[in-house]
Amino acid sequence: MSDLTPQIQRLVIFGATGDLAARMLLPSLYFLDSDKLLPDGLKIIGSARSEMDRDAFVKLVRGIMDKRSEGVDEAVWKRFAERLDYCAADVTKGAGLKALSEVIEGRPSIYYLALSPSLYGAVCRALDESGLSCGECRIVLEKPLGHDAESSRAINAEVAEVFEESRVFRIDHYLGKETVQNLIALRFANTLFEPLWNNLAIDHVQITVAETEGVGDRWPYYDEYGALRDMVQNHMLQLLTLIAMEPPADAGADSVRDEKVKVLKSLRPFSRHDAQQMAVRGQYKAGVVEGKTVKSYEEERGGPSQTETFVALRADIDNWRWAGVPFFLRTGKRLPERRTQIAIQFKPLPHSIFGQAADNDLSANRLVIDLQPKEDISLLLMNRRPGLAGTRLQALPLSLSLDDGGRRRIAYERLLLDVILNNPQLFVRRDEVELAWAWIDGVADSWADSGQAPRPYAAGSWGPAGAFALLERSGRAWLDE
Ligand code: NDP
Ligand code: BG6
């Protein structure tokens, strides 16, 4: 596909020997090549401190692809392998990128930083000093972008010294998921929802990202961040903004991002008092998940920790559309099932005309958007049970399955293609990331001020008791209760 963006000729993955590159980036690039979506002549250059030659890197990538369930097509592999190259570099060393600049040959390039964010400033400076930051070059930054608002501003400022904002692509891989992109279509390609999308019709919103996996070997990273910074600051707030934003003027990147920013600005800040009432932290103990006995977080980590592996919180959006509609967010490791779901709970009927027997089954309408493991949008509607035995109501889902039976794409495929196409719509703008951190800082500070330690929960349960009380206090319940 040579005509897409002929100008990008090199894609450098810094951190090419790491976990993200192996699980997501290299397979995504292979699949894009398989669909003939990579520009002709695009070279993919792996880089890390480890010394190896091109052949060893090609072998490493082949090993990664062989381990996957999809199988390797030899014709695609031949084309893909020809694109691969490797160049060892330590981005913290002054002369680190000298060899890389010889491979890049001054061509317009994308630099993907699959590295610790503490290295982002150093890489940008090194790229600049080596003459590798040309006007067409783009930089891709992975999360987490900092640890709080201050550190994220510092990283963004270091990057901005070399790359202006239009050339910076901040990844939140949730935005690359098919169902997340479909949220915009659902809301703004249907007339049905918009008149009801407000506090007159909607009672509350629940966003759940539940994982059965534990933290495992990732604890050195995770222990510093915890579920609030690892999941809520980015993925969950992105989902919240897409649900809550006003209709943008058009689908252009800045129109959509401007609206998301307005939602972040309207999030009610947390006060010290809110920590007790509005945000629950938990940490998993040993338990049973999917039939298997699993260790506690502290056993995995090898010692005590005050890091949360579970968060449930109530977010309020102080604007005309959402005043009085709580958004309940919940995420955790070692929960009973893998489920990423957004549920929009509509208000109950103001008055029922059916008799008491029928009313027993009367539920309020609900729109459920399932992102994982199934991809599905369903609208729960009431209807009458067929038969002669009087009116009995039942709730039935009107379902829009997004599963077309084909291979489910890795979210990074969409995002990598968009960087190549120079389309920033699914990337997070600097002000978005900094505002999201500022709100998260409020939650973290209120936990710290009130000395709120994570509450224990058994692996395989839906989190500590406080998570249930959080909804009960407002007369509501999580959908799985
Ligand atoms: P890993 O620790 O697995 O990999 C880090 C990579 O960086 C290795 O290739 C390492 O290779 C390289 N590296 C380390 N120091 C230097 C240096 N000074 N110069 C050049 N290369 C260096 O990390 P991950 O792949 O897990 O994560 C990378 C980034 O992606 C992080 O920001 C992470 O938060 C983010 N991320 C990761 C996810 C995941 O699922 N893994 C999910 C979402 C985000 P070497 O030691 O050979 O130099
Ligand atoms: C990452 C987090 O950003 O997202 C992980 O660092 C988490 O802790 C992962 O497991 C979840 O992503 P997904 O796509 O599997 O829901």
Side-chain angles (χ1 to χ4, degrees):
M1 221 170 95
S2 56
D3 54 338
L4 275 180
T5 47
Q7 73 276 24
I8 289 294
Q9 294 173 26
R10 301 285 184 266
L11 193 163
V12 181
I13 302 178
F14 288 104
T17 57
D19 177 71
L20 183 72
R23 287 192 309 111
M24 302 292 169
L25 307 181
L26 292 161
S28 294
L29 288 164
Y30 169 88
F31 292 126
L32 288 175
D33 208 5
S34 163
D35 291 338
K36 301 203 166 59
L37 290 169
L38 292 184
D40 292 345
L42 178 79
K43 291 262 178 230
I44 298 166
I45 303 158
S47 184
R49 287 168 307 181
S50 309
E51 291 291 342
M52 73 176 108
D53 59 16
R54 179 183 177 278
D55 288 349
F57 184 61
V58 171
K59 208 166 146 202
L60 183 121
V61 180
R62 177 67 200 226
I64 289 168
M65 293 311 302
D66 281 339
K67 278 199 206 118
R68 295 185 63 93
S69 58
E70 295 91 344
V72 177
D73 178 308
E74 291 306 331
V76 175
W77 171 254
K78 186 168 179 294
R79 185 168 70 234
F80 187 63
E82 278 166 13
R83 297 180 184 277
L84 298 175
D85 204 344
Y86 184 82
C87 188
D90 183 337
V91 298
T92 60
K93 301 264 164 68
L97 302 189
K98 194 168 175 298
L100 186 65
S101 59
E102 283 160 23
V103 183
I104 288 182
E105 298 169 314
R107 314 282 178 110
S109 304
I110 292 168
Y111 306 111
Y112 197 118
L113 308 194
L115 295 168
S116 160
S118 60
L119 297 173
Y120 290 177
V123 186
C124 290
R125 279 191 298 278
L127 286 168
D128 200 31
E129 283 158 16
S130 312
L132 295 174
S133 57
C134 74
E136 294 95 358
C137 293
R138 296 163 207 160
I139 191 138
V140 186
L141 308 179
E142 260 300 338
K143 65 154 274 251
L145 218 82
H147 189 263
D148 52 21
E150 195 187 338
S151 53
S152 98
R153 278 194 290 271
I155 295 174
N156 281 328
E158 282 185 299
V159 172
E161 277 175 26
V162 180
F163 294 93
E164 72 260 24
E165 182 64 19
S166 62
R167 297 199 280 141
V168 180
F169 290 74
R170 294 181 193 80
I171 293 261
D172 183 312
H173 77 273
Y174 266 51
L175 296 181
K177 290 183 192 276
E178 200 61 50
T179 328
V180 177
Q181 294 168 61
N182 207 13
L183 266 177
I184 299 184
L186 181 78
R187 285 198 57 198
F188 304 119
N190 295 293
T191 49
L192 198 62
F193 296 114
E194 184 50 26
L196 300 175
W197 211 257
N198 54 46
N199 54 8
L200 297 177
I202 293 177
D203 179 74
H204 73 279
V205 176
Q206 296 187 13
I207 305 179
T208 294
V209 181
E211 297 182 89
T212 52
E213 295 290 311
V215 174
D217 296 342
R218 284 182 76 212
W219 72 260
Y221 152 77
Y222 195 87
D223 210 53
E224 229 187 285
Y225 284 83
L228 180 71
R229 294 182 171 94
D230 183 49
M231 294 297 289
V232 183
Q233 186 273 339
N234 36 76
H235 309 321
M236 298 193 81
L237 283 187
Q238 283 295 326
L239 296 179
L240 178 145
T241 56
L242 289 172
I243 292 289
M245 71 181 183
E246 295 299 314
D250 52 49
D254 276 325
S255 301
V256 173
R257 297 191 290 186
D258 286 347
E259 297 306 333
K260 290 200 287 170
V261 160
K262 284 188 210 160
V263 176
L264 293 167
K265 283 183 178 164
S266 304
L267 279 173
R268 188 181 303 162
F270 267 60
S271 66
R272 179 179 176 165
H273 171 72
D274 293 337
Q276 306 292 343
Q277 298 294 319
M278 312 271 266
V280 177
R281 345 169 44 202
Q283 189 191 85
Y284 61 83
K285 299 290 157 196
V288 178
V289 180
E290 296 175 323
K292 283 198 200 120
T293 305
V294 295
K295 290 182 184 167
S296 69
Y297 175 62
E298 289 187 337
E299 282 171 284
E300 286 177 345
R301 186 192 175 283
S305 165
Q306 291 294 301
T307 299
E308 79 282 348
T309 60
F310 175 97
V311 178
L313 58 80
R314 172 181 169 146
D316 286 275
I317 302 172
D318 287 332
N319 64 19
W320 277 43
R321 187 185 284 265
W322 296 112
V325 180
F327 282 63
F328 295 105
L329 275 50
R330 171 177 63 163
T331 184
K333 306 272 185 202
R334 291 289 191 222
L335 298 186
E337 62 181 77
R338 175 156 167 78
R339 186 202 303 170
T340 305
Q341 187 182 72
I342 302 167
I344 319 285
Q345 180 68 54
F346 289 90
K347 292 197 167 169
L349 290 183
H351 166 70
S352 167
I353 62 165
F354 305 101
Q356 205 182 353
D359 283 359
N360 285 343
D361 296 321
L362 198 60
S363 311
N365 299 129
R366 183 188 302 148
L367 178 69
V368 178
I369 301 154
D370 279 300
L371 282 77
Q372 296 174 151
K374 58 177 179 173
E375 293 186 332
D376 183 66
I377 296 175
S378 70
L379 182 61
L380 201 70
L381 294 174
M382 293 308 297
N383 65 86
R384 183 184 179 280
R385 282 181 208 270
L388 303 176
T391 298
R392 296 278 309 203
L393 298 171
Q394 62 181 349
L396 282 181
L398 197 64
S399 178
L400 185 71
S401 174
L402 303 175
D403 187 356
D404 61 2
R407 180 181 70 83
R408 191 180 289 186
R409 285 192 182 278
I410 306 172
Y412 282 87
E413 291 177 50
R414 161 89 272 149
L415 298 173
L416 281 161
L417 185 60
D418 279 355
V419 185
I420 293 168
L421 298 175
N422 205 15
N423 175 10
Q425 192 202 20
L426 299 175
F427 297 84
V428 186
R429 212 168 56 189
R430 179 174 178 171
D431 49 353
E432 270 182 271
V433 85
E434 292 177 5
L435 281 164
W437 271 123
W439 188 75
I440 289 294
D441 283 356
V443 182
D445 291 349
S446 86
W447 279 341
D449 286 353
S450 62
Q452 192 174 317
R455 305 263 189 267
Y457 64 96
S461 71
W462 279 106
F468 299 91
L470 176 74
L471 269 76
E472 277 162 18
R473 274 197 290 279
S474 67
R476 299 172 175 104
W478 294 108
L479 288 182
D480 42 83
E481 281 181 55

